[in-house]
Amino acid sequence: MQNGKMKAMLFLAPGKLEYREVKIPEIGASDILVKVRTALTCGTDVKTFKRGHPKYNPPTLFGHEFGGDVFAIGSGIRGLQIGTRVVAGNTAPCNTCYYCKHGQQNLCEDLMVNLGAFAEFIRVPGRIVEQNLFTIPADLDYGEAALVEPLGCVIHGQDLVKIELGDSVAVVGAGGPIGLMHLQVARHNGAGQVIAIDINDARLEVAHHLGATRTINSTREDPKAVIREMTAGRGADVVIESAGALAAWQLALDLVRKGGRVLWFGGLPAGMRIELDTTHIHYDEISIFGVYHLTPLSAFKAFELLRTRIVDAQALITAELPLARLEEALEMMGDGRAIKVAIVP
Ligand SMILES: [Zn+2]
Ligand SMILES: [Zn+2]
């Protein structure tokens, strides 16, 4: 920091980032300023870099998974100390709209979104300070703690699809960071067989280490045949799609048993449509869940699983690069060389 300036990475247009000095954000009475220690690359950042983001208005700061130290505190805040290690969620709901009142804060009509983790400092607005700020214990890294947002999304999805004790759970796209969190949470939720499906052997190896009971490389084995064989011909009780690809959304429907549940987790480009076999959905009574984002409660649960190390976060952070090399980090994550990259300002 020099003369109220900081280094930050700006998103200018698809494929175009700029590393430059910008003003350190000013804080209001209810906000805090956090000195970013570690920010994580997320699939959303990779997509934004490649094709832009419908809700971002470039040039803009971006990045939303981070851990850091409280650097300045608004005059209206009590009970927070300078230097405290914290992780903050990237959103906070209004708690007054129709959806919030129905416990669906992830669908809030006035969801406050905070971006700018790919910088030396980030302002955390009061609403997020109140609802989505966690103190990081001494034995947890900034980067590990920064998983609270994506892990919260995973937990929110599994809360919808309700895994029961002994369920067979298939995860499509299991080798990505989201898939690897899904399989860990599924195990903890009591799943019996956890079947990891991916196209990358190295990632399937990680899935195996994190608790997958069977891995399937779908370029060599037919997941449908393998899963039928494992489940006396039925199919999986629960199938979780986390590849963010149309083919994966479709595959999920092929792998589920009669009366089973499908979670379509990975977002697809706007306007994309999918073909459904209505006979299958109707007579086989398939339940399909769409899922978006997380609630303060699922973030809270996520932080507990990180704090208690029920979820292994370290295994998902496979590289570290300085902020100036963010573009390289996004490419590494995009082409599968890294699962998640820790960005250090
Ligand atoms: Zn994220
Ligand atoms: Zn709301």
Side-chain angles (χ1 to χ4, degrees), residues 88-92 112-114 124-133:
N90 64 329
T91 62
M112 173 185 271
V113 180
N114 195 36
V124 180
R127 207 201 262 182
I128 296 178
V129 174
E130 276 169 28
Q131 298 186 54
N132 248 335
L133 187 80

Side-chain angles (χ1 to χ4, degrees), residues 169-237:
V169 177
V171 182
V172 182
I178 294 290
L180 292 168
M181 284 186 269
H182 267 302
L183 71 89
Q184 292 188 70
V185 174
R187 286 221 67 157
H188 192 66
N189 274 333
Q193 305 192 87
V194 178
I195 305 145
I197 303 160
D198 205 282
I199 53 173
N200 178 322
D201 282 328
R203 287 181 167 218
L204 283 170
E205 190 55 35
V206 180
H208 175 67
H209 277 294
L210 294 177
T213 53
R214 173 72 154 91
T215 58
I216 301 173
N217 184 325
S218 56
T219 63
R220 288 196 303 269
E221 283 187 294
D222 173 13
K224 193 171 170 178
V226 175
I227 290 173
R228 297 277 134 143
E229 201 185 302
M230 292 175 71
T231 56
R234 290 187 302 269
D237 297 310

Side-chain angles (χ1 to χ4, degrees), residues 22-103:
V22 299
K23 269 184 70 184
I24 292 176
E26 285 174 18
I27 58 167
S30 61
D31 310 331
I32 63 171
L33 187 69
V34 173
K35 183 170 174 52
V36 178
R37 294 293 186 181
T38 301
L40 297 178
T41 58
C42 166
T44 307
D45 306 322
V46 175
K47 277 191 258 175
T48 299
F49 175 60
K50 278 187 191 154
R51 59 185 195 226
H53 191 291
K55 291 184 178 169
Y56 293 5
N57 219 342
T60 179
L61 294 168
F62 72 128
H64 58 274
E65 299 175 11
F66 68 97
D69 302 324
V70 176
F71 191 82
I73 302 173
S75 57
I77 295 182
R78 298 281 166 269
L80 205 59
Q81 249 82 64
I82 302 282
T84 301
R85 301 167 78 237
V86 291
V87 57
N90 64 329
T91 62
C94 74
N95 290 320
T96 56
C97 74
Y98 183 89
Y99 302 96
C100 283
K101 284 181 175 163
H102 285 74

Side-chain angles (χ1 to χ4, degrees), residues 49-317:
F49 175 60
K50 278 187 191 154
R51 59 185 195 226
H53 191 291
K55 291 184 178 169
Y56 293 5
N57 219 342
T60 179
L61 294 168
F62 72 128
H64 58 274
E65 299 175 11
F66 68 97
D69 302 324
V70 176
F71 191 82
I73 302 173
S75 57
I77 295 182
R78 298 281 166 269
L80 205 59
Q81 249 82 64
I82 302 282
T84 301
R85 301 167 78 237
V86 291
V87 57
N90 64 329
T91 62
C94 74
N95 290 320
T96 56
C97 74
Y98 183 89
Y99 302 96
C100 283
K101 284 181 175 163
H102 285 74
Q104 296 169 309
Q105 287 99 330
N106 56 312
L107 303 177
C108 175
E109 286 185 309
D110 182 26
L111 194 70
M112 173 185 271
V113 180
N114 195 36
L115 295 172
F118 296 140
E120 284 181 275
F121 294 90
I122 183 169
R123 182 180 80 101
V124 180
R127 207 201 262 182
I128 296 178
V129 174
E130 276 169 28
Q131 298 186 54
N132 248 335
L133 187 80
F134 304 90
T135 301
I136 306 174
D139 62 346
L140 201 65
D141 291 356
Y142 294 105
E144 292 172 311
L147 274 179
V148 69
E149 183 262 340
L151 181 60
C153 296
V154 163
I155 290 170
H156 174 58
Q158 291 204 17
D159 281 349
L160 292 176
V161 81
K162 289 193 177 66
I163 290 169
E164 296 188 7
L165 286 177
D167 272 351
S168 53
V169 177
V171 182
V172 182
I178 294 290
L180 292 168
M181 284 186 269
H182 267 302
L183 71 89
Q184 292 188 70
V185 174
R187 286 221 67 157
H188 192 66
N189 274 333
Q193 305 192 87
V194 178
I195 305 145
I197 303 160
D198 205 282
I199 53 173
N200 178 322
D201 282 328
R203 287 181 167 218
L204 283 170
E205 190 55 35
V206 180
H208 175 67
H209 277 294
L210 294 177
T213 53
R214 173 72 154 91
T215 58
I216 301 173
N217 184 325
S218 56
T219 63
R220 288 196 303 269
E221 283 187 294
D222 173 13
K224 193 171 170 178
V226 175
I227 290 173
R228 297 277 134 143
E229 201 185 302
M230 292 175 71
T231 56
R234 290 187 302 269
D237 297 310
V238 174
V239 183
I240 297 172
E241 182 288 326
S242 61
L246 187 63
W249 280 47
Q250 258 148 354
L251 177 62
L253 292 174
D254 289 340
L255 301 180
V256 73
R257 70 161 168 86
K258 278 199 288 189
R261 287 98 71 206
V262 169
L263 180 68
W264 280 338
F265 189 94
L268 301 177
M272 194 166 269
R273 304 181 79 83
I274 188 165
E275 260 179 41
L276 293 173
D277 175 352
T278 54
T279 305
H280 175 49
I281 306 299
H282 176 72
Y283 289 100
D284 293 341
E285 203 175 75
I286 306 301
S287 300
I288 301 175
F289 296 84
V291 60
Y292 171 67
H293 203 48
L294 77 170
T295 65
L297 176 59
S298 44
F300 179 85
K301 291 178 182 178
F303 190 71
E304 284 303 297
L305 295 197
L306 292 168
R307 199 171 65 77
T308 52
R309 296 195 178 274
I310 284 167
V311 166
D312 180 346
Q314 205 57 61
L316 309 188
I317 304 167

